[in-house]
Amino acid sequence: IANDMDVEMVSVEGIEATDEELDARLTEMAEQYQLDVEKFKELAGDQATDAIKMDLAMEKAIKFIAENAKEA
């Protein structure tokens, strides 16, 4: 679940999904719907693709936080 802190971290740290990560996620999703990946991209549109890319960045931010958290 994303919150404002996660969104800010993605922006401040410059965390973003690579094209390869996006393609992998889109391929995975297309397979779930039994669609060709290009057809899936067409149906999803730019707005959904951008949202998926942001989700991937958020996942990376959360992983970054978890890996760099220090116990109190």
Side-chain angles (χ1 to χ4, degrees):
I1 298 173
N3 63 37
D4 292 338
M5 186 176 79
D6 295 332
V7 172
E8 186 175 332
M9 170 167 250
V10 167
S11 297
V12 171
E13 294 293 329
I15 298 171
E16 55 186 44
T18 65
D19 290 339
E20 292 81 15
E21 291 167 329
L22 178 61
D23 286 342
R25 180 64 56 91
L26 291 171
T27 299
E28 179 183 304
M29 294 175 78
E31 288 172 357
Q32 289 176 346
Y33 290 102
Q34 299 177 349
L35 292 171
D36 174 74
V37 70
E38 293 305 318
K39 182 66 174 176
F40 182 80
K41 288 179 185 180
E42 178 185 328
L43 293 171
D46 291 340
Q47 194 170 24
T49 301
D50 289 345
I52 293 165
K53 195 168 187 173
M54 178 56 101
D55 286 346
L56 287 166
M58 297 296 277
E59 289 173 15
K60 289 173 81 169
I62 292 167
K63 184 178 179 180
F64 176 84
I65 291 169
E67 289 173 351
N68 292 286
K70 295 183 180 180
E71 293 186 31

